[in-house]
Amino acid sequence: MQEKLIYPTIEEMDQEIERLKRKSRVSRGIRWTLYSLVVVAAIVVLIATLWMPVLKITGNSMSPTLHKDELVVAIRTKQFQSGDVIAFYYDNKILIKRVIATAGQYVDIKEDGTVLVNGKVLDEPYIQEKSKGECDIQLPYQVGDGQIFVMGDDRAISLDSRTTAVGTIEEEKVLGRVVLKVWPWASLGQVR
């Protein structure tokens, strides 16, 4: 018995051609979207790595300004002044503290926790409670060239430049100035 071949009609062929064209357009659209997402993700990672690192707060030494598990953004810069919050490398970790004094300035801390820079009382609206904390350096202390004197905002628990264990921070170890809280959304805003 001979098999009878059934040929599609012109209309059926046109429908099949149209279906294949649509499938091709959809495939190209999906590929283009995926490529675009990969490029955007790569750019975001590059920016975050080179200019604006995103950091997670792991301790409480910067409370009440920053709290554990918040995410913050730092901007790479080498310009710092008293009151700036900075991120820096210390002992294979990244720490976040507040700049108190820079190279050549004198820091003195009274028994009640009052901080003086070059003999003037430092205005510190960001702390809730004064405390001398752990302090084993000779006061008044002059900050060396290329160094930064830093302290946490929770003075009672923060380990910082007041101890010889941490000391002053070398400027080249500074990752950047912390400028923005980004997570959780309720805390979104500038870091002051």
Side-chain angles (χ1 to χ4, degrees):
M1 197 174 225
Q2 200 172 28
E3 221 174 284
K4 186 175 179 184
L5 296 174
I6 301 175
Y7 295 102
T9 65
I10 299 243
E11 194 175 279
E12 291 172 333
M13 288 176 60
D14 285 343
Q15 288 174 349
E16 182 63 15
I17 289 171
E18 189 58 37
R19 186 186 71 78
L20 292 172
K21 285 180 181 177
R22 272 195 314 271
K23 183 178 176 184
S24 176
R25 281 193 302 266
V26 168
S27 293
R28 274 194 308 261
I30 290 171
R31 275 194 310 271
W32 184 85
T33 301
L34 288 175
Y35 294 149
S36 298
L37 288 173
V38 167
V39 168
V40 167
I43 290 170
V44 167
V45 167
L46 188 65
I47 288 171
T49 304
L50 297 177
W51 294 291
M52 296 174 48
V54 176
L55 307 167
K56 182 178 182 180
I57 306 301
T58 58
N60 295 313
S61 70
M62 283 301 293
S63 180
T65 305
L66 301 172
H67 302 281
K68 188 175 181 179
D69 295 329
E70 286 184 327
L71 293 181
V72 296
V73 174
I75 294 183
R76 292 192 188 271
T77 181
K78 295 295 179 188
Q79 303 294 323
F80 309 108
Q81 61 186 13
S82 181
D84 287 346
V85 176
I86 62 170
F88 57 92
Y89 294 103
Y90 172 76
D91 198 25
N92 290 330
K93 295 181 222 170
I94 296 175
L95 298 182
I96 297 177
K97 304 289 181 189
R98 191 173 296 274
V99 174
I100 300 300
T102 56
Q105 294 182 318
Y106 286 89
V107 177
D108 198 4
I109 305 168
K110 301 299 179 194
E111 284 304 316
D112 70 352
T114 301
V115 178
L116 294 94
V117 176
N118 291 337
K120 295 181 182 173
V121 174
L122 192 61
D123 181 29
E124 300 185 286
Y126 40 79
I127 63 171
Q128 286 182 333
E129 186 179 323
K130 291 182 181 182
S131 173
K132 190 170 183 180
E134 187 176 329
C135 183
D136 63 3
I137 60 172
Q138 182 69 41
L139 295 171
Y141 181 89
Q142 183 177 22
V143 182
D145 288 338
Q147 302 285 313
I148 301 172
F149 192 97
V150 297
M151 293 172 70
D153 288 356
D154 189 341
R155 300 292 163 77
I157 66 166
S158 180
L159 292 177
D160 46 44
S161 294
R162 296 173 291 176
T163 68
T164 54
V166 176
T168 53
I169 308 306
E170 296 172 26
E171 287 178 356
E172 62 263 10
K173 291 190 177 181
V174 175
L175 181 61
R177 186 166 37 101
V178 177
V179 294
L180 186 65
K181 293 186 227 181
V182 293
W183 186 260
W185 294 115
S187 67
L188 181 67
Q190 279 186 304
V191 174
R192 296 175 192 255

